Every structure is written in C-alpha cells, then in structure tokens.
Amino acid sequence: MTNAVGSKDMALFDAIVATWPDELLEDDLDIEDDDEDDEEEYVDLPSPVALRAVIDGGPFLAEHGPSYIGAYESLCEHLGDDLDHMTFHMGWVENVDQAFAALGMNLALSDLVYGGELDEDLDYPDCAGHGSWSKEACAEAVQRWDALDSAILAKVDSQALSSVEHHLEWLREATRRGKDIVAVWEG
C-alpha cells in the first residue's frame, strides 16, 4: 500500500478501474448533501480522478476528502484481501486495547483504527480514519498469543477477549502471508 501511494503507476490505476462498475466511471461532479442540518458539503470527485490523485501522490483538493477515502479503499481492495468488516465505537476500541495490553501483546486496535494521519489540509468527514499493523507486529502478537496460558486469559473481559480472538484470525492470516494489515474507514 505504501509503495502504491504516489507511485504514478498507470498499470495499477488501469487494473483497478477495469474492475469498477460503470457508475463509478461517470464524469459528473455531484454535490453531496445528505443532511440538510449538516453545515459541511463535500464535492465528490469522479472515482477515477480521486484514484489517480492518490496513485500520483497529489495534487489533492481540500473539499474532496471523502473521495480520496474511497480511492484508498479501492487500493486496499485491489492490493489485499477484504477482512471481515468491523463495527466499532470509541469505548470498544479502548476495551480491546486494554485486553491486548493485559495479554502482553504489543498491539493496539487504536493503531489500526486511528494510527494513520490523514492529510490535515484535506476536508475529511468527522468520521474517517486509517491505520495499520506491521507484518512484524502481527507475527509477534501471534507468537505471544500462542504462548499464553489459561490463567492469563481468564483475567481478561470476555467480550474484549472475544474481539481479540476475532482479530487473531487477521493476525494469523497476515503472518502466514507476510503482509501488513491496513485499514481505511469512513462512517
């Protein structure tokens, strides 16, 4: 993913766009205003224009932040596999982080959800973010999990432990493939 952003790789651009349905290839710019009480309006870029900007490393226009999130999501979908979608809220992320810490795992869900920095010059929706776990951190977490005994597991909140176990599937898959886990989200 890191190598793709700013790579100016037209073959990558063409390969991604070739998989899109026709409605994503429209040339019209639309004003998106789903909520009349919402003071912010975002101007959607045609998806190919936003993707091209991400692959080229810019230029980025401030009012098109949500369009670039979609382009990052397209890159993730093309370069990797879609992991189970997760729904989260702030308190839940903190609980899972505490569970990882209690288990001695040097990993935090907050790094995956909020670990990346979105370009502060761009106008993103309030609810958007991205982050990653390195393949090394994934492998270390799997090793630590495999070495845990039941007494330690019994001390962790059962719901948080269930979430850690769910994420363990992702960690094992990333370790097996030697890949990082990258998350881009909006919503």
Side-chain angles (χ1 to χ4, degrees), residues 7-18:
S7 68
K8 299 179 177 31
D9 184 342
M10 283 307 298
L12 175 61
F13 173 83
D14 290 340
I16 294 171
V17 171

Side-chain angles (χ1 to χ4, degrees), residues 169-182:
E169 294 173 32
W170 298 0
L171 296 167
R172 287 193 190 285
E173 187 65 17
T175 299
R176 186 181 70 73
R177 294 181 181 203
K179 301 277 186 178
D180 297 340
I181 296 176
V182 177

Side-chain angles (χ1 to χ4, degrees), residues 20-91:
W20 287 350
D22 290 341
E23 61 266 13
L24 285 179
L25 302 175
E26 295 174 1
D27 292 330
D28 297 338
L29 290 176
D30 298 322
I31 300 287
E32 182 180 298
D33 189 11
D34 294 335
D35 184 357
E36 292 178 19
D37 297 331
D38 189 359
E39 294 179 18
E40 297 185 50
E41 288 186 8
Y42 300 105
V43 179
D44 281 340
L45 280 176
S47 296
V49 174
L51 178 63
R52 180 69 188 265
V54 169
I55 289 176
D56 285 352
F60 298 106
L61 303 173
E63 66 273 15
H64 301 304
S67 298
Y68 302 126
I69 291 283
Y72 278 103
E73 288 174 339
S74 292
L75 271 175
C76 285
E77 289 171 4
H78 183 78
L79 296 173
D81 293 318
D82 189 22
L83 298 173
D84 295 337
H85 293 285
M86 67 177 171
T87 304
F88 58 88
H89 55 80
M90 283 303 296

Side-chain angles (χ1 to χ4, degrees), residues 132-159:
S132 64
W133 287 335
S134 72
K135 59 186 171 194
E136 295 83 9
C138 292
E140 181 182 325
V142 168
Q143 288 175 348
R144 176 65 183 144
W145 175 268
D146 289 344
L148 290 173
D149 65 36
S150 58
I152 293 173
L153 295 174
K155 295 179 183 179
V156 178
D157 173 76
S158 63
Q159 286 185 331

